[in-house]
Amino acid sequence: MKCPVCNHENGNASFCERCGSNLTPSSPTADSAQDQQSAAAEPEYTRWSSTQATPSHDPISSNTPSAPRPVQQASDSSGTEGLSSSGDNNANQWNNIVQNEKVQQAKEVSKQYLSYFLSVLTRPYQTMKTVGEQHSLNGWITMALIAVLSSTYFLITFGRMEMNGLFIGGFIRPLLFTAISLIVAIALMYAILKIEKITFRPKTLVAQFGTLLVPAVASLVLANLFIVISYSIAIFFLVVSYLIIFVSLNTVLFQYPLNRTKAAIDSMYSVLIANVVLFYILYRLLATMIIGLISLMFSPYGRM
C-alpha cells in the first residue's frame, strides 16, 4: 500500500514505515466526529491559552507587581477604623439614651411628687386613708427630704459660728440619725400591728406614714429659711417637724382596727411603748450630735 503522505511503498501495514502515517481508510462519520471534537477543543484551548498571559508580556503587571496590595491594606485599615468608630458611636448613643431615660424618669418622678406634695399638704389625714402601695415611693421620698432638711438646718446653724470641719458633725451625722429614727418608727408600727394580729401591707404602711410626714417637710423648709431671720422661729419650726413624726406614728396606728381581745398586750400600752422608744432614740441621737458639736467647738482641732 502506497503512503498518501510520502509516496513510500508499504506492504499490508496499517502505518507507513517511513513517516508513520495511518494507512487504514477512515469512514466519513468518524472523520466528521473527529473534526467536531477538534473544532470544539480548539476554542476551549484558545480561551485557556488567552488567560495564561506571561508576566513578561504584561507591562502593567510587570511594572507594578505590588500595586494592589497597599490599596488592600488601606481598605482593610479603613474598614477596621470604620467598624471601631461605628461601635464607639453606637456605645455613645446607647449611653446617651440610657442617661436621657434616667433624666426623664427623674423629671417625671419629681413632677408627680410635687403634685402629690401639694395635694397632701392641704388634707394629709384624708389623703392618708386613700393611699395604697403605689404611693410607697412618695413616702420614702418624703422621709429622705426630712433627713436632708434636718441635717441642712444643723449645718447652717453651726456653720454661722464660722467653724470649719462641720460637714461630718453638722450634716452627715444628723442625716444618719434622722434616717435611723424614721426607720425605727416604721419598725415600731410594723411590730405593733403584728402583735395586734392585724393584716396589713408593709408598702401601704410606708405610704401612709410618709403621707402624714408631708407637713414636717414644709415645717423644715420654713425652719431653714428662718435661720437667717430669727433663731427662735427656726427652732420652733424644727420642734414642730419632730412632733409631727410622733403624731404621724400614732395616727397611722389608730386608723387600724386594733384588736384588744386577741393581742398579748393592751393597745394603749403597745402604742405608749412605741412613743417612748421613738422619743428616747431621738433624744439620744440629738443629744449625742449636739454634744459632739459642742466638743468640736471647744476642741483645738475644731477650726482646722
Side-chain angles (χ1 to χ4, degrees):
M1 183 178 289
K2 192 175 182 177
C3 178
V5 177
C6 61
N7 295 323
H8 178 70
E9 188 67 28
N10 298 292
N12 294 326
S14 298
F15 297 92
C16 179
E17 296 176 353
R18 179 180 292 178
C19 64
S21 299
N22 189 3
L23 300 177
T24 304
S26 58
S27 61
T29 305
D31 293 337
S32 62
Q34 185 176 3
D35 293 336
Q36 291 177 358
Q37 290 177 357
S38 61
E42 183 178 359
E44 183 68 26
Y45 172 79
T46 304
R47 289 194 299 271
W48 177 84
S49 61
S50 63
T51 57
Q52 302 298 319
T54 59
S56 60
H57 294 87
D58 191 2
I60 298 175
S61 61
S62 62
N63 293 332
T64 57
S66 60
R69 291 185 181 179
V71 177
Q72 180 90 21
Q73 294 176 357
S75 63
D76 293 340
S77 61
S78 63
T80 306
E81 291 177 357
L83 291 175
S84 62
S85 62
S86 63
D88 294 337
N89 292 331
N90 292 331
N92 293 331
Q93 290 177 358
W94 176 253
N95 293 330
N96 292 331
I97 290 173
V98 172
Q99 291 177 359
N100 291 332
E101 289 181 354
K102 290 181 179 180
V103 171
Q104 292 298 329
Q105 290 177 359
K107 289 182 179 179
E108 291 296 328
V109 171
S110 61
K111 289 180 181 178
Q112 293 177 1
Y113 181 78
L114 181 60
S115 60
Y116 161 83
F117 181 86
L118 295 175
S119 62
V120 171
L121 189 60
T122 56
R123 297 180 179 273
Y125 180 74
Q126 293 181 1
T127 308
M128 182 268 298
K129 293 193 290 185
T130 59
V131 296
E133 293 183 347
Q134 67 275 14
H135 299 92
S136 61
L137 178 60
N138 293 328
W140 288 116
I141 294 174
T142 302
M143 287 184 275
L145 288 175
I146 290 175
V148 171
L149 290 172
S150 61
S151 58
T152 304
Y153 173 85
F154 288 105
L155 180 64
I156 296 174
T157 301
F158 291 95
R160 295 189 67 185
M161 298 178 183
E162 298 180 355
M163 295 176 57
N164 297 324
L166 285 176
F167 182 74
I168 295 177
F171 185 81
I172 300 298
R173 189 176 295 175
L175 179 69
L176 295 176
F177 286 174
T178 307
I180 292 172
S181 301
L182 294 173
I183 293 174
V184 168
I186 295 175
L188 290 172
M189 290 187 292
Y190 182 88
I192 290 174
L193 293 178
K194 282 294 184 180
I195 292 173
E196 296 286 337
K197 298 180 181 180
I198 295 176
T199 303
F200 66 98
R201 295 181 181 274
K203 289 185 178 180
T204 304
L205 183 68
V206 172
Q208 292 172 343
F209 185 59
T211 302
L212 294 177
L213 290 177
V214 168
V217 175
S219 180
L220 284 170
V221 171
L222 294 175
N224 283 276
L225 293 176
F226 275 98
I227 290 177
V228 296
I229 300 174
S230 174
Y231 277 116
S232 59
I233 299 176
I235 293 174
F236 169 77
F237 283 114
L238 179 68
V239 173
V240 169
S241 64
Y242 281 105
L243 288 176
I244 290 174
I245 297 176
F246 287 94
V247 175
S248 301
L249 182 143
N250 292 279
T251 305
V252 171
L253 288 176
F254 281 110
Q255 65 95 24
Y256 282 95
L258 300 180
N259 192 348
R260 296 177 176 83
T261 58
K262 294 182 180 180
I265 186 174
D266 190 80
S267 300
M268 177 181 176
Y269 294 115
S270 60
V271 174
L272 179 63
I273 292 172
N275 283 272
V276 171
V277 171
L278 183 60
F279 176 79
Y280 179 76
I281 292 174
L282 285 174
Y283 168 76
R284 291 292 299 174
L285 295 180
L286 291 175
T288 304
M289 182 190 63
I290 293 172
I291 292 172
L293 290 173
I294 293 174
S295 63
L296 182 62
M297 184 185 304
F298 293 101
S299 173
Y301 303 100
R303 297 181 180 274
M304 291 182 62

